[in-house]
Amino acid sequence: MSTITVSADINAPLEYVWKLFIKPEHIIHWNAASDDWETTSATNDLRNGGRFSFHMAAKDKSFDFNFEGQYDEVRPLRHIAYTLGDNRKVSTTFFENKNVVTIVQSFDSETSHSEEQQHSGWQAILNNFKKYVETQFQQKNA
């Protein structure tokens, strides 16, 4: 098992980025790797020992699953670490430089898909998050 890392630079203040990253009512709008997938529901108990579950589904109803795990470490506005149901570890760190937030997410690879596929999928989700945040922030401040 190896570690895969993805990242994105988001043009919005840290507090705003954090809120949209953790709130279920926002997660359902950005948590998909492609346009033919969606997150239909999300629960998120963001605290050490808390659990999360995001129900992800193909829009054509051909496949669905729960992406879920338990939080190992939560440092508000800075860092989130969790363990997935299959015991893989994920680490997400937020860095702020002026009004740009860099999110760096590292995760243990799995064996069902190539590392390239996993990198592409997680990067696509983070890119969707960036687009969602920047769009919401621009509309809010227009």
Side-chain angles (χ1 to χ4, degrees):
M1 182 180 330
S2 62
T3 301
I4 300 170
T5 300
V6 297
S7 65
D9 293 328
I10 302 167
N11 296 299
L14 177 59
E15 292 80 9
Y16 193 79
V17 171
W18 179 264
K19 180 177 80 170
L20 273 59
F21 194 83
I22 67 169
K23 298 281 187 180
E25 63 267 27
H26 293 289
I27 293 168
I28 61 171
H29 294 290
W30 59 261
N31 189 44
S34 64
D35 289 340
D36 52 345
W37 278 81
E38 62 187 340
T39 296
T40 59
S41 65
T43 59
N44 195 20
D45 182 13
L46 186 69
R47 61 180 174 85
N48 293 349
R51 299 193 59 81
F52 67 90
S53 180
F54 309 150
H55 187 75
M56 303 178 78
K59 288 182 179 177
D60 68 3
K61 311 277 191 257
S62 63
F63 190 77
D64 68 331
F65 67 97
N66 288 325
F67 183 81
E68 54 192 0
Q70 182 168 355
Y71 290 109
D72 303 316
E73 180 182 10
V74 176
R75 286 186 281 147
L77 303 174
R78 296 282 173 246
H79 182 77
I80 300 169
Y82 56 88
T83 302
L84 295 171
D86 60 4
N87 289 320
R88 292 184 300 130
K89 300 286 188 181
V90 180
S91 171
T92 305
T93 306
F94 299 75
F95 301 96
E96 184 178 34
N97 185 4
K98 299 190 170 78
N99 261 357
V100 175
V101 176
T102 300
I103 297 178
V104 177
Q105 196 164 48
S106 299
F107 60 96
D108 293 339
S109 63
E110 43 94 348
T111 56
S112 300
H113 301 90
S114 73
E115 288 189 16
E116 182 178 302
Q117 287 173 313
Q118 292 174 70
H119 182 277
S120 294
W122 284 62
Q123 184 66 57
I125 292 170
L126 206 47
N127 291 347
N128 279 345
F129 177 68
K130 171 185 170 66
K131 181 180 174 185
Y132 178 74
V133 171
E134 290 176 353
T135 300
Q136 294 295 309
F137 188 68
Q138 288 170 356
Q139 289 174 355
K140 176 183 169 221
N141 292 299

